[in-house]
Amino acid sequence: MPKKYQPAGVGMTPSKTELGSFIRARRLELDLRQVPLAELSGLPQNLVSMFEVGIRKYLNEEQLQGLAKALQCDPEELRKRLPEKRTAKPTTEL
């Protein structure tokens, strides 16, 4: 008897970021699993997973472009969901 596969998206860890939620929702809209998305985007599957769950929050430009192409969306859709990078503020006045 052949092994039954669950549909994509079953039993996933909830995403903690807006970026992760968007990537996952778009991937599921396209009926993709993480491995094919990773192959299309040129990223390792574990990195796709880390973005979706929210462990990794920032994409470099190359990752952003590859993911946007694979998700068939404008790179700006991903860029606007990136959290603001915190910069260290000086502790003393100059």
Side-chain angles (χ1 to χ4, degrees):
M1 191 165 151
K3 189 175 180 181
K4 271 193 152 182
Y5 291 97
Q6 292 183 319
V10 172
M12 292 186 296
T13 303
S15 182
K16 296 178 187 144
T17 64
E18 189 180 348
L19 175 67
S21 296
F22 176 81
I23 292 170
R24 179 175 289 158
R26 188 71 190 125
R27 175 174 67 80
L28 294 175
E29 281 175 26
L30 296 170
D31 198 28
L32 285 173
R33 291 181 173 271
Q34 284 183 351
V35 171
L37 175 62
E39 290 168 354
L40 289 169
S41 65
L43 299 174
Q45 180 273 327
N46 68 326
L47 194 58
V48 170
S49 176
M50 286 191 277
F51 284 128
E52 282 193 13
V53 175
I55 295 169
R56 290 282 300 266
K57 297 177 180 138
Y58 299 101
L59 295 149
N60 67 33
E61 193 58 32
E62 188 179 330
Q63 292 167 335
L64 188 132
Q65 294 296 331
L67 212 44
K69 184 176 177 187
L71 293 171
Q72 300 170 26
C73 70
D74 189 309
E76 200 51 44
E77 287 296 314
L78 296 172
R79 197 173 282 116
K80 72 183 182 186
R81 289 172 169 84
L82 291 172
E84 279 190 43
K85 286 197 176 182
R86 294 182 190 168
T87 54
K89 294 195 168 54
T91 53
T92 58
E93 287 186 35
L94 297 176

